[in-house]
Amino acid sequence: MSRLKRPRRYWRLLFGQDFRRDRSASGVSAMLNYCYTVLRAGTARAVMAAGLHPSLGVAHRQRGNAFALADDLMEPFRPLADQLVYSLLSRGKTDLDRSTKPMLARILVTDMRTKQGTTPVGLCLERLALSAARCFSGEVRTLDLPQRVSSLET
């Protein structure tokens, strides 16, 4: 299967056969965009707090991307954003509006399991950024990643 077909298949399996990911669309796509933006902002703050330069990415290397490293480090958390949107859809929420924005913004306080116990995503991002800094300096060889979502309440 080509690299292009995998994301299309993922989106259709998650949101239905008629769903097409369109960054300029309303509805589900707008909800995903909003949640990813909140996640990216939280990741960028964690990257800078760890003393790293957010534009120096590992996998994301596009010129002009001021947050390439934040984009790299937020990748493991994207499925959580997808799950939040899916959860809202299952409750009949289909648009990005005044009622759904606060629910999506809660991604940074959503609990995840870590070696240290249940931890909000915001703190997981800080630990991940610090572990990335330690990896770059050669102090450690692995990133501090959470295990999985322990609860998802919107």
Side-chain angles (χ1 to χ4, degrees):
M1 182 181 306
S2 76
R3 293 187 83 207
L4 290 177
K5 289 185 181 179
R6 278 183 269 186
R8 282 189 224 151
R9 190 170 181 193
Y10 170 79
W11 294 121
R12 288 179 183 164
L13 287 170
L14 188 60
F15 296 119
Q17 288 299 312
D18 295 332
F19 180 76
R20 302 284 182 273
R21 179 76 170 109
D22 180 351
R23 291 188 176 138
S24 61
S26 60
V28 173
S29 284
M31 290 168 48
L32 288 167
N33 292 343
Y34 186 82
C35 201
Y36 293 153
T37 299
V38 171
L39 183 58
R40 188 182 199 214
T43 308
R45 279 192 304 274
V47 164
M48 289 182 273
L52 298 172
H53 199 290
S55 69
L56 301 176
V58 177
H60 291 85
R61 296 185 192 155
Q62 304 91 333
R63 286 187 116 166
N65 181 355
F67 298 103
L69 185 57
D71 292 342
D72 287 336
L73 295 182
M74 73 177 262
E75 286 299 330
F77 298 89
R78 279 183 182 267
L80 178 59
D82 303 343
Q83 189 177 359
L84 278 169
V85 171
Y86 181 83
S87 174
L88 289 175
L89 288 173
S90 69
R91 293 177 31 212
K93 306 283 188 179
T94 59
D95 293 312
L96 181 65
D97 57 27
R98 292 175 72 178
S99 70
T100 56
K101 282 183 179 182
M103 293 180 217
L104 294 169
R106 292 188 52 80
I107 189 168
L108 296 178
V109 296
T110 299
D111 286 335
M112 300 193 80
R113 278 192 207 172
T114 67
K115 290 177 242 170
Q116 296 85 3
T118 302
T119 308
V121 168
L123 186 53
C124 291
L125 291 170
E126 291 174 16
R127 289 179 182 160
L128 176 58
L130 285 170
S131 71
R134 290 183 185 120
C135 283
F136 294 145
S137 71
E139 291 176 51
V140 298
R141 297 182 52 89
T142 59
L143 294 173
D144 185 358
L145 290 164
Q147 296 168 350
R148 65 184 176 93
V149 176
S150 66
S151 67
L152 187 59
E153 295 178 17
T154 52

